[in-house]
Amino acid sequence: MARWDQIFSLPVQNPPTLEFSSADLVWSKVEGWRDNMDRVAVIPFARVDDFVRGESSNKECPTRFHVEARRRRALKAPFKAKVDGVLEYILYWCSFGPDDHRKGGVIRPSRSTYVPKKKNAGRPNTKRGCTCHFIVKRLIAEPSIALIIYNEDKHVDKKGSPCHGPLDKKAEGTRAMFAPYISEDLRLRVLSLLYVGVSVETIMQRHNESVEKQGGPCNRDDLLTHRYVRRQERSIRRSTHELDEDDAVSLSMWVEGHRSNVFFYENFTDTDTFTLGIQTEWQLQQMIRFGNRGLLASDSRFGTNKLKYPVHSLVVFNLDYNAIPVAWIISPRFASGDAHRWMRALHSRVQTKDPSWKLAGFVVDDPLADVQIIREIFQCSVLLSFWRVRHAWHKNILKKCAENEKRAEILRQLGKAVDGVCCGDENMDSFELLIKDQVNDPEFIDYFKATWCPRLGMWTTALKNLPLTSLETCAAMEFYHSQLKLRLLNEKDSAVYQRTDWLVDKLGTKVHSYFWLDEYSEKNNFSRYWKDEWMSGLTYWRRALRIPDSDIIIEGGIAKVTDQITRDRKFVVWNPGSQFGICDCQWAEMGNLCEHMCKVINVCRKKGTTRPSVSLLQYQKVLTDMLRCPPHDSLIRDHAVSFAMSVQKQLNALISIGSNLESRSSFRGHMITTLEHQADRELSTGETVLKNKSELNQNKIDCASGQDASKNITDNSSSELVDLTVTGNRVDGETARQECPCTEMDIDTTSICISPPRLNSVEEVVGGNSFQQSKNRVQTDMEYDSLPSSYDTVCNLNKFVDNERHREKIEVDPSPMNDPLTAADFANQCMMNSQNGILSDGPEPTVAS
């Protein structure tokens, strides 16, 4: 019993890497069988496979571990309550053992089913008597953890000599120098190429050419054989998605055979609806890599009209801002209210791999999405993507209206109405006015009334409460949607669309292979096999970066863009500067946002002929509201910070001017006494204001900037004191000297209060040169040429630069003072601004909850 008390007292180790080995763990010695001391460690059971892969990737002795023995007890099976009861026992052994097929080696007694082979070619290189092995136990008392017993950790034979790898001199020139099987990356590459139609001979030809270029084999992947690739091709050709005539039974059989690729599964019951969540190991790795401190976007309506169940995709964005699907969820449309079940399962799976993983923002495209649940599970900001609605409007206008001028006018009014709703200036009346003005186009108006009028209420509510994503995100989502449509809905027999087993099989094989090859750097070597399904490359927003400004000509209400390929054609863009524009290129005629429209939007914003993006205006409004009406729980904090800044300045002045030490000391004492009396008086007033504002600011209580500021106050060594002067419509900072480019930003206005990762507090904004000196205003600009990734700017506040053409004023209570404010005056001004924000009759500044 003392042994198990010692084992249960061991800490559960969970290294924050995708794979880890025994070198990454701290091992303990406990009493084992026959008075031996076992070398043990405890890890989460869900990470046993990660440990096996990491241990197989040993650089000193590469190998692969296989399951030599396994015993498993059903979770619901009756058992006697014992502290040492084992739920699952797994023995992993190095694949170069335990038998020794070398000359004079020891072979275990043959099993009853063993049939001796006439030819043992190659076997001396695969079975060399290696004794390295470890045991994994899943205990009944703690099913979530795995006890690893690793006593034989050296890759030696029974004589104690190295039996494979670089240390074995007899293995030189044989396959025993390397691991016995190819890596997971090469296996995925071979399978992906086979699924998309590349022949076996082409795969082997390209592989042999690469091995010859490097001067011969130097790792296990260089030993890929034609036989292995042919065997994989035969297995794919003979496989079928229809495992049973009954679709439900066939689906259950598929789930049983692909447990590692299923993170959530619920069948139809009296209380629950059918839901299946698919995520491969590669998708999980991409989610951890690109989703950490980044965006996770949702495409929730794919295949609604064709498939039996629609596909809900979750995507992340790579360095080129291309969308990579990291999970597919299949469920009926009416099951959207149960999304919290699979969301928790997905979040738990990622957290098991990387406990430090955290999202910066979650993008939804459904106005009925449960925003509170998403915030609760992922602890991040929630943004709204409007690309699906804009795409539907654009496509139907092109179908139902013949004249380009009429199309442009309708889209212009729709864009104006949407922008007004997002900024809080418009409501549903603007859409009703559009219907009255466009009575001469009954076909589109009838479509709009029947399809969108019933939905306008929920969409306007979502647009007012959630910030919009940038156009770059919308362009990436449109591009992904088109890719998925080409790669999934291309069957000649449309009857298969009504089978769920076909859907999950194709998602996990062909569709997954196409997206894997999108990230493969050498995919151009197989360009002769490219089909429409291979559509990849940069998004149309990124393609617009390659168009020079000199190729844009804006004349009146249209813009002309020179074709970058032929140079003798010019594409015409109506409504220049608006995402609700029209272009006569092929991509835009499908209802998408093309590179010509994106480039014209950029040029117009740089020239100041159009307003900035709605997402940037929403972001600015929140900053303005914070300056005019600070959160109630930060008022006293701001007073304390300003008081400390003032005192620190005065002390520095006293030290630097030694000749006036006595006069400065008296002045300092007088100033400190005056400020202390003023602070006490304003503290009592601030408490009254806090009481009145508690209901108004109930959604801002969780603002993390207050906590950050309190740390800055108590830690003098880590805080930088910056003079802040608020004069008229002006914000000055002594350290604000560097200009930073501004880009399309996915900013959630509520994120300032719920504090997602990388979001700076008010003091960090001032100290980080976020506010630039300017005369009577703060300016913003969309520097498109130096566009960084949008998800890197989700919570980054250092993105303001001067713009000579377009300026947005931030209204601050005017105070005609040229000298820096004292602490008392600054706190008094904050107090007056807060009172004005509460007692004014105008609309209250709001932050989306």
Side-chain angles (χ1 to χ4, degrees):
M1 186 62 69
R3 159 185 163 87
W4 289 103
D5 290 340
Q6 187 177 359
I7 289 176
F8 285 127
S9 65
L10 295 176
V12 180
Q13 304 179 59
N14 191 9
T17 54
L18 295 178
E19 297 177 357
F20 60 96
S21 64
S22 59
D24 301 320
L25 300 177
V26 177
W27 296 89
S28 303
K29 291 284 188 177
V30 299
E31 183 181 353
W33 186 53
R34 290 183 178 177
D35 296 332
N36 293 328
M37 298 300 292
D38 286 338
R39 183 168 172 261
V40 301
V42 178
I43 66 172
F45 184 79
R47 303 213 61 188
V48 170
D49 291 339
D50 299 333
F51 174 77
V52 174
R53 283 193 293 267
E55 193 65 13
S56 300
S57 302
N58 189 346
K59 294 182 180 180
E60 296 180 357
C61 196
T63 182
R64 184 174 179 178
F65 286 87
H66 66 275
V67 177
E68 182 69 17
R70 183 194 296 266
R71 294 194 301 270
R72 182 182 301 169
R73 183 197 300 268
L75 287 173
K76 298 182 179 180
F79 58 88
K80 183 179 179 180
K82 296 190 299 182
V83 69
D84 58 345
V86 176
L87 195 62
E88 190 168 358
Y89 171 94
I90 310 174
L91 172 61
Y92 287 96
W93 208 291
C94 174
S95 292
F96 286 100
D99 294 338
D100 190 354
H101 290 177
R102 297 176 299 180
K103 185 177 181 180
V106 178
I107 302 177
R108 294 173 300 169
S110 300
R111 299 181 179 91
S112 59
T113 58
Y114 176 74
V115 178
K117 294 180 173 59
K118 296 180 180 179
K119 297 181 180 180
N120 61 350
R123 295 189 66 81
N125 293 326
T126 57
K127 296 296 182 181
R128 305 174 69 87
C130 183
T131 60
C132 181
H133 66 277
F134 58 89
I135 299 172
V136 175
K137 289 184 178 182
R138 187 182 186 185
L139 304 177
I140 295 177
E142 291 288 346
S144 62
I145 64 174
L147 174 65
I148 301 179
I149 305 175
Y150 205 167
N151 293 329
E152 301 292 338
D153 60 337
K154 304 297 182 183
H155 292 272
V156 295
D157 54 19
K158 291 187 176 181
K159 297 180 182 179
S161 303
C163 55
H164 62 92
L167 299 179
D168 184 11
K169 295 182 179 181
K170 295 182 180 180
E172 294 181 357
T174 67
R175 292 177 179 269
M177 278 285 294
F178 314 108
Y181 302 98
I182 63 175
S183 65
E184 183 67 15
D185 183 73
L186 180 59
R187 188 186 72 86
L188 277 177
R189 186 196 314 172
V190 171
L191 289 177
S192 299
L193 291 172
L194 291 174
Y195 275 123
V196 302
V198 181
S199 64
V200 175
E201 287 71 18
T202 302
I203 295 174
M204 290 305 305
Q205 179 183 357
R206 300 291 187 271
H207 177 76
N208 293 334
E209 290 175 356
S210 64
V211 174
E212 291 177 2
K213 287 182 180 179
Q214 66 184 15
C218 60
N219 56 55
R220 58 178 175 175
D221 289 344
D222 295 338
L223 303 177
L224 179 68
T225 62
H226 188 281
R227 178 184 178 185
Y228 174 82
V229 180
R230 175 65 67 186
R231 191 187 313 125
Q232 297 299 320
E233 186 272 338
R234 188 187 310 118
S235 175
I236 292 174
R237 179 163 31 90
R238 294 177 178 178
S239 63
T240 178
H241 67 271
E242 192 171 338
L243 303 178
D244 191 270
E245 294 183 0
D246 189 340
D247 187 31
V249 175
S250 178
L251 180 63
S252 299
M253 295 173 64
W254 185 92
V255 171
E256 287 296 328
H258 299 79
R259 279 292 180 185
S260 60
N261 296 340
V262 176
F263 70 89
F264 185 84
Y265 177 63
E266 283 286 348
N267 211 338
F268 281 108
T269 63
D270 295 338
T271 58
D272 299 326
T273 57
F274 163 74
T275 304
L276 174 63
I278 302 174
Q279 184 182 59
T280 65
E281 182 66 27
W282 175 78
Q283 288 179 312
L284 178 59
Q285 294 175 5
Q286 303 307 304
M287 185 174 181
I288 294 174
R289 178 185 177 187
F290 296 111
N292 191 27
R293 304 299 189 266
L295 287 181
L296 182 66
S298 169
D299 180 14
S300 61
R301 298 294 182 189
F302 182 85
T304 304
N305 298 326
K306 285 189 176 182
L307 300 176
K308 181 178 181 180
Y309 300 126
V311 178
H312 186 156
S313 302
L314 293 180
V315 303
V316 295
F317 303 97
N318 63 8
L319 299 179
D320 291 327
Y321 218 79
N322 288 96
I324 303 176
V326 295
W328 289 301
I329 298 91
I330 303 171
S331 64
R333 289 189 60 183
F334 58 82
S336 59
D338 298 329
H340 63 91
R341 297 186 299 159
W342 60 260
M343 283 186 182
R344 294 186 190 278
L346 180 63
H347 184 260
S348 299
R349 190 183 198 200
V350 178
Q351 286 288 316
T352 301
K353 281 275 190 178
D354 185 3
S356 63
W357 185 87
K358 190 176 182 65
L359 276 180
F362 193 104
V363 180
V364 299
D365 63 349
D366 186 359
L368 299 179
D370 197 337
V371 175
Q372 297 300 330
I373 289 294
I374 296 175
R375 287 175 179 161
E376 176 188 345
I377 296 175
F378 292 98
Q379 295 293 312
C380 68
S381 310
V382 179
L383 301 94
L384 180 65
S385 175
F386 199 69
W387 78 267
R388 188 182 299 278
V389 180
R390 189 208 60 80
H391 177 85
W393 288 351
H394 192 164
K395 186 170 62 174
N396 281 276
I397 285 177
L398 295 178
K399 288 182 180 180
K400 303 179 186 303
C401 297
E403 300 179 2
N404 284 330
E405 291 76 10
K406 201 65 177 178
R407 296 171 177 173
E409 178 61 23
I410 296 176
L411 282 174
R412 185 190 66 80
Q413 294 188 27
L414 286 173
K416 182 180 178 181
V418 172
D419 291 348
V421 170
C422 294
C423 296
D425 302 330
E426 303 288 346
N427 50 30
M428 291 184 59
D429 296 338
S430 56
F431 294 101
E432 296 177 358
L433 181 61
L434 167 68
I435 295 175
K436 294 179 181 179
D437 293 343
Q438 303 299 332
V439 292
N440 296 329
D441 295 288
E443 190 174 358
F444 175 76
I445 294 303
D446 292 343
Y447 156 79
F448 191 83
K449 287 181 179 179
T451 306
W452 292 103
C453 282
R455 308 178 187 178
L456 287 179
M458 60 183 183
W459 273 106
T460 52
T461 302
L463 289 172
K464 290 179 180 179
N465 295 333
L466 296 176
L468 283 181
T469 57
S470 66
L471 289 183
E472 183 174 15
T473 303
C474 294
M477 293 303 298
E478 280 186 342
F479 193 69
Y480 165 75
H481 192 83
S482 300
Q483 284 181 314
L484 188 58
K485 185 176 181 180
L486 282 174
R487 295 169 178 179
L488 183 61
L489 303 179
N490 56 1
E491 297 292 334
K492 296 180 179 179
D493 183 11
S494 59
V496 297
Y497 295 153
Q498 300 304 312
R499 289 192 65 95
T500 311
D501 56 357
W502 165 85
L503 177 61
V504 298
D505 178 74
K506 189 164 186 179
L507 284 175
T509 55
K510 283 191 175 182
V511 176
H512 181 274
S513 299
Y514 279 117
F515 284 106
W516 190 93
L517 290 172
D518 286 344
E519 303 300 309
Y520 179 43
S521 59
E522 300 180 6
K523 63 181 177 182
N524 292 330
N525 294 337
F526 304 92
S527 58
R528 59 176 292 189
Y529 290 92
W530 284 13
K531 305 176 184 177
D532 292 339
E533 294 86 347
W534 282 64
M535 183 183 99
S536 61
L538 297 175
T539 65
Y540 286 85
W541 177 269
R542 288 299 177 102
R543 294 181 189 184
L545 292 172
R546 302 182 176 182
I547 303 177
D549 292 353
S550 57
D551 288 348
I552 310 299
I553 301 175
I554 301 177
E555 299 175 348
I558 63 173
K560 295 182 180 180
V561 184
T562 303
D563 188 1
Q564 301 301 299
I565 299 177
T566 61
R567 305 295 301 178
D568 58 350
R569 179 184 177 185
K570 293 185 181 296
F571 296 101
V572 180
V573 178
W574 287 265
N575 293 343
S578 172
Q579 63 171 316
F580 291 86
I582 294 179
C583 182
D584 56 357
C585 68
Q586 183 179 1
W587 184 251
E589 289 177 352
M590 298 168 60
N592 300 309
L593 195 66
C594 67
E595 69 265 36
H596 312 111
M597 295 167 59
C598 294
K599 183 61 181 180
V600 172
I601 290 173
N602 162 59
V603 172
C604 291
R605 286 177 180 170
K606 288 204 293 187
K607 291 183 176 181
T609 58
T610 186
R611 65 189 302 178
S613 65
V614 174
S615 58
L616 182 61
L617 293 177
Q618 290 175 330
Y619 173 64
Q620 265 189 274
K621 184 178 182 297
V622 174
L623 294 182
T624 306
D625 293 343
M626 290 184 64
L627 290 175
R628 296 180 61 187
C629 184
H632 67 272
D633 58 351
S634 66
L635 182 61
I636 306 303
R637 177 208 63 191
D638 292 341
H639 180 204
V641 172
S642 62
F643 181 84
M645 291 164 57
S646 177
V647 171
Q648 183 67 36
K649 283 178 53 181
Q650 295 162 23
L651 291 177
N652 292 338
L654 292 175
I655 295 173
S656 62
I657 308 177
S659 60
N660 298 327
L661 182 58
E662 296 181 359
S663 59
R664 292 292 183 181
S665 299
S666 60
F667 171 76
R668 181 190 63 179
H670 176 71
M671 178 61 70
I672 293 177
T673 304
T674 304
L675 290 175
E676 287 177 349
H677 289 301
Q678 184 71 11
D680 294 338
R681 184 169 62 254
E682 291 171 355
L683 179 61
S684 61
T685 307
E687 292 175 353
T688 305
V689 175
L690 298 182
K691 183 177 181 180
N692 295 334
K693 291 187 62 181
S694 60
E695 182 176 357
L696 174 66
N697 298 292
Q698 58 181 351
N699 291 329
K700 301 179 182 179
I701 295 177
D702 296 330
C703 182
S705 61
Q707 299 175 2
D708 295 339
S710 63
K711 295 178 183 178
N712 292 337
I713 294 171
T714 57
D715 188 2
N716 295 328
S717 62
S718 63
S719 61
E720 295 182 4
L721 301 179
V722 181
D723 293 332
L724 177 64
T725 304
V726 182
T727 61
N729 292 332
R730 175 178 174 183
V731 179
D732 294 336
E734 288 185 358
T735 62
R737 291 293 182 268
Q738 298 178 352
E739 293 185 353
C740 300
C742 185
T743 179
E744 287 279 346
M745 293 184 291
D746 289 329
I747 297 296
D748 184 0
T749 55
T750 63
S751 63
I752 296 179
C753 291
I754 65 175
S755 184
R758 297 163 55 197
L759 185 60
N760 301 328
S761 64
V762 176
E763 289 74 23
E764 292 169 338
V765 173
V766 177
N769 304 337
S770 295
F771 297 104
Q772 304 293 328
Q773 280 191 345
S774 60
K775 187 174 182 180
N776 298 330
R777 61 195 68 193
V778 174
Q779 297 117 353
T780 62
D781 180 27
M782 302 300 297
E783 282 294 334
Y784 185 91
D785 295 332
S786 57
L787 177 68
S789 301
S790 292
Y791 61 84
D792 286 337
T793 60
V794 174
C795 303
N796 190 353
L797 303 181
N798 297 330
K799 295 294 180 183
F800 288 97
V801 300
D802 293 336
N803 187 341
E804 296 295 334
R805 302 272 184 152
H806 182 80
R807 298 181 176 97
E808 292 290 333
K809 295 184 178 181
I810 295 183
E811 297 179 0
V812 184
D813 184 32
S815 301
M817 298 176 61
N818 297 324
D819 297 329
L821 296 176
T822 63
D825 293 336
F826 180 75
N828 189 32
Q829 181 175 336
C830 292
M831 187 74 69
M832 294 301 296
N833 288 339
S834 301
Q835 293 174 347
N836 293 337
I838 298 174
L839 303 176
S840 60
D841 296 331
E844 295 288 347
T846 59
V847 177
S849 59

